[in-house]
Amino acid sequence: MHEMSIAQTIIQTALAEMKKHPTARLKTVRVVVGLQHAIVPENLRFAFDVLSRDTPAEGATLAIQTQPVAARCRCCGWTGAIQIPMYACGACGAGDMELTAGNELYLENLEVETDEPSHH
């Protein structure tokens, strides 16, 4: 289950960022995952929950945004989402596709809560 190593990296990255804000509590970790990675969101959330225990990330929510696989046809120029593992052009059916999206895997942002009073 490669979700465990991915969850570990997400937690390490989030905790490194949280060290810059020592009074903040981590509430939500948002990640973008391209479908090309074949990650099972439930497995990634489970791994995140298990690996974040006894860390400052414990109790935070892992929000996962999936990114469809998209490509550009080298034959006719069509661009759009494609079905994996077919990799065929949605317009002309050609198989000469250049992937343009779907391989993403990054931490988009962190939502934190602080005890600092807000200035209105």
Side-chain angles (χ1 to χ4, degrees):
M1 184 165 86
H2 64 289
E3 287 88 353
M4 278 295 204
S5 61
I6 293 168
Q8 185 65 45
T9 302
I10 291 168
I11 292 166
Q12 289 170 345
T13 305
L15 293 180
E17 185 62 29
M18 292 302 293
K19 285 183 180 178
K20 300 174 187 175
H21 310 280
T23 62
R25 285 182 306 284
L26 186 60
K27 292 186 63 162
T28 306
V29 177
R30 288 188 178 82
V31 295
V32 176
V33 177
L35 293 178
Q36 184 73 9
H37 285 283
I39 290 172
V40 178
E42 295 78 21
N43 291 353
L44 186 57
R45 282 191 193 92
F46 174 78
F48 180 87
D49 290 344
V50 168
L51 296 174
S52 65
R53 284 186 194 142
D54 301 321
T55 76
E58 183 173 16
T61 300
L62 181 63
I64 303 168
Q65 175 187 331
T66 56
Q67 181 71 30
V69 177
R72 183 185 69 78
C73 180
R74 291 186 178 107
C75 295
C76 73
W78 174 87
T79 59
I82 59 173
Q83 297 300 312
I84 51 177
M86 295 300 292
Y87 299 104
C89 177
C92 74
D96 189 9
M97 303 297 292
E98 172 190 357
L99 292 184
T100 58
N103 206 30
E104 299 82 359
L105 179 55
Y106 60 89
L107 181 72
E108 185 174 47
N109 64 50
L110 303 174
E111 181 181 324
V112 299
E113 184 175 85
T114 64
D115 292 329
E116 299 168 9
S118 59
H119 299 90
H120 290 251

